[in-house]
Amino acid sequence: MLRDKRILLGVGGGIAAYRAAELARLLKHEGAQVRCVLTRAAQRFVAPLTFEALTGTSAHTDLFDLTREREMGHIRLAREADMLLVAPATAHLMARFAHGLADDLLSTIFLAADNLPVLLAPAMNRAMWQAEATQRNRQCLAAQGVHFVGPECGALACGEEGEGRMSEPVRILAHARLLCADKPLLGQRWLVNAGRTEEPWDDVRTLSNRASGRLGLYLAEEAVVAGAEVTFVAGPGVPSSPLPMRRIDVCTARQMHAVCCAQASDCDVFVATAAVSDYRVASPVRGKLKRKGGGETVTLELVENPDIVADVARMPQRPGKVIACAAERAHHLQHAQRKRTAKRVDAIFVNDAARMGDVRGGGWWLSAGGVVELSEMDKRALAARLIELIRRMEEEHDAS
């Protein structure tokens, strides 16, 4: 989402300035073109050379650089950017921005930004953040269309605890992607489930699998970035997301089934990525089943769990598109085609079960339009590719 985007990274004068270096690195890793502007105070904490090494471009520090200002450099920096991102945004910077002061390079760039998206990541002492003046400035900036990420609660550099800590660079990056991306899914409601489920056979042990939930999480995040309103149903162990989505945590297959069926009726798209347990123990033992020794065997009676994606696809008010996922060890396409027909889903993505839990993935996409082979790639890239295929289905449907 940030590839070739031109990001102006403003660095304010606070101890969190050292974390802006990691943010610059992440932005470059995403493919963005990054130019950094450091305030005079920021240079007391971190050197411009740090950002030059990380971004491969000169860091800007001085409003009165005659070489650059002969060409109105501060105006050009603002006009040639796709986004202004300030991290850390100190209380002093927020006040200057809110009141239109422009006596240094970063504040003049802010004034010259016109309709440029602006994202601030505040960082300061908790008392400074809670101060009435700071909150007035925040409200003033928000009314101008400025976006905020954080601050977070936690340990502060001054030794105190509370709200004022700059958000983690990965969280700031996620919000930058959210602001910079096109919104082809704006107005759509998506339901995504992800991760494994766990079926107890006593109060300690469960039946489960190796699914990490990464693909489903990334797919939900990419849908949010593309403008969709997402409800995310997560099994045990699925990581949290910094992006705004409605998350519902569940444990067992029946819990996930109940939530998905309840949420699906008013959705445009349901993507079932979860590795749901096909079976559960018929009568879980209360307490902990004790070992008796002597090589004794234990028999567990298993009963079939409900088929979530099939039941959603058969709902009278089903989502406009229902997408299934499957993991197979052999004859992938044959099994996937049979499942797509039996479950009455619009498409199915099938991968190899041996790759379950990996950070990379690939497989095959099967729909009425045919088969698309997806080579092995990072799972976030795979999630973005799947969204492209879902969008293509909708465009083909609209065209017909």
Side-chain angles (χ1 to χ4, degrees):
M1 296 296 180
L2 291 178
R3 182 164 300 280
D4 297 325
K5 294 292 185 180
R6 298 165 299 180
I7 308 297
L8 259 182
L9 175 59
V11 184
I15 187 62
Y18 80 94
R19 301 170 75 201
E22 171 65 6
L23 179 57
R25 187 192 68 81
L26 291 173
L27 289 166
K28 284 291 291 183
H29 182 71
E30 288 277 314
Q33 301 173 23
V34 185
R35 304 181 79 172
C36 297
V37 178
L38 281 72
T39 66
R40 185 175 302 171
Q43 295 172 66
R44 303 292 293 270
F45 292 93
V46 63
L49 182 60
T50 299
F51 293 93
E52 293 179 358
L54 289 168
T55 65
T57 59
S58 298
H60 303 270
T61 58
D62 190 358
L63 175 62
F64 298 106
D65 182 330
L66 296 180
T67 301
R68 290 181 176 130
E69 286 310 305
R70 191 179 300 119
E71 301 176 350
M72 301 300 288
H74 62 286
I75 301 294
R76 289 189 60 187
L77 283 171
R79 297 284 167 79
E80 293 175 357
D82 295 308
M83 179 183 193
L84 173 60
L85 168 56
V86 181
T90 62
H92 184 62
L93 271 178
M94 287 177 57
R96 289 150 69 92
F97 292 166
H99 293 282
L101 302 180
D103 59 351
D104 75 345
L105 182 57
L106 185 54
S107 57
T108 57
I109 288 172
F110 177 83
L111 278 185
D114 289 338
N115 296 321
L116 198 67
V118 178
L119 177 62
L120 304 185
M124 63 197 74
N125 173 267
R126 62 177 182 81
M128 295 173 67
W129 173 250
Q130 294 167 359
E132 184 178 343
T134 303
Q135 291 305 306
R136 280 200 308 268
N137 292 333
R138 181 189 65 81
Q139 292 166 8
C140 176
L141 290 167
Q144 297 175 36
V146 173
H147 301 269
F148 288 84
V149 51
E152 314 295 337
C153 287
L156 306 177
C158 60
E160 297 183 6
E161 293 269 347
E163 192 176 21
R165 180 181 177 86
M166 191 177 89
S167 294
E168 293 296 324
V170 289
R171 184 177 181 86
I172 300 171
L173 176 70
H175 280 261
R177 296 175 71 238
L178 193 61
L179 287 178
C180 279
D182 295 330
K183 298 291 185 287
L185 303 182
L186 191 64
Q188 293 190 18
R189 294 183 298 273
W190 282 45
L191 175 65
V192 180
N193 66 15
R196 65 182 185 271
T197 59
E198 294 181 349
E199 306 298 331
W201 54 279
D202 65 11
D203 288 346
V204 177
R205 306 173 181 91
T206 62
L207 298 176
S208 191
N209 56 60
R210 303 191 308 274
S212 66
R214 286 191 192 94
L215 179 61
L217 175 63
Y218 294 156
L219 197 145
E221 289 184 337
E222 295 299 314
V224 169
V225 168
E229 178 184 333
V230 175
T231 297
F232 184 56
V233 185
V238 178
S240 60
S241 172
L243 292 177
M245 64 181 72
R246 182 187 178 206
R247 176 173 174 139
I248 303 174
D249 288 290
V250 297
C251 183
T252 68
R254 285 184 292 178
Q255 290 171 351
M256 185 173 282
H257 179 271
V259 171
C260 289
C261 289
Q263 299 295 323
S265 60
D266 62 348
C267 287
D268 298 289
V269 177
F270 172 45
V271 188
T273 73
V276 182
S277 299
D278 291 328
Y279 297 92
R280 68 181 184 273
V281 177
S283 300
V285 175
R286 290 176 177 258
K288 179 182 178 182
L289 186 63
K290 297 292 186 180
R291 181 199 298 267
K292 295 182 180 179
E296 182 180 4
T297 60
V298 174
T299 301
L300 297 176
E301 181 185 357
L302 303 180
V303 296
E304 193 173 22
N305 272 321
D307 190 324
I308 297 173
V309 71
D311 287 351
V312 169
R314 291 185 176 92
M315 291 172 57
Q317 292 182 302
R318 79 193 292 273
K321 291 287 179 291
V322 178
I323 314 299
C325 293
E328 303 289 350
R329 288 305 303 266
H331 308 295
H332 302 81
L333 295 180
Q334 296 93 317
H335 289 309
Q337 192 64 263
R338 185 165 58 250
K339 286 183 177 181
R340 190 176 80 85
T341 302
K343 296 175 186 285
R344 302 181 187 178
V345 297
D346 299 285
I348 186 168
F349 169 66
V350 59
N351 60 6
D352 196 293
R355 302 303 304 270
M356 183 177 286
D358 284 2
V359 297
R360 296 176 63 83
W364 298 266
W365 166 270
L366 289 80
S367 68
V371 178
V372 177
E373 184 172 359
L374 300 172
S375 59
E376 183 182 309
M377 64 188 84
D378 175 85
K379 281 190 175 178
R380 185 176 292 281
L382 178 59
R385 185 76 178 94
L386 290 174
I387 286 184
E388 288 179 11
L389 291 167
I390 295 169
R391 285 185 57 210
R392 186 186 301 174
M393 290 176 63
E394 294 178 317
E395 291 168 357
E396 291 171 351
H397 180 267
D398 292 341
S400 63

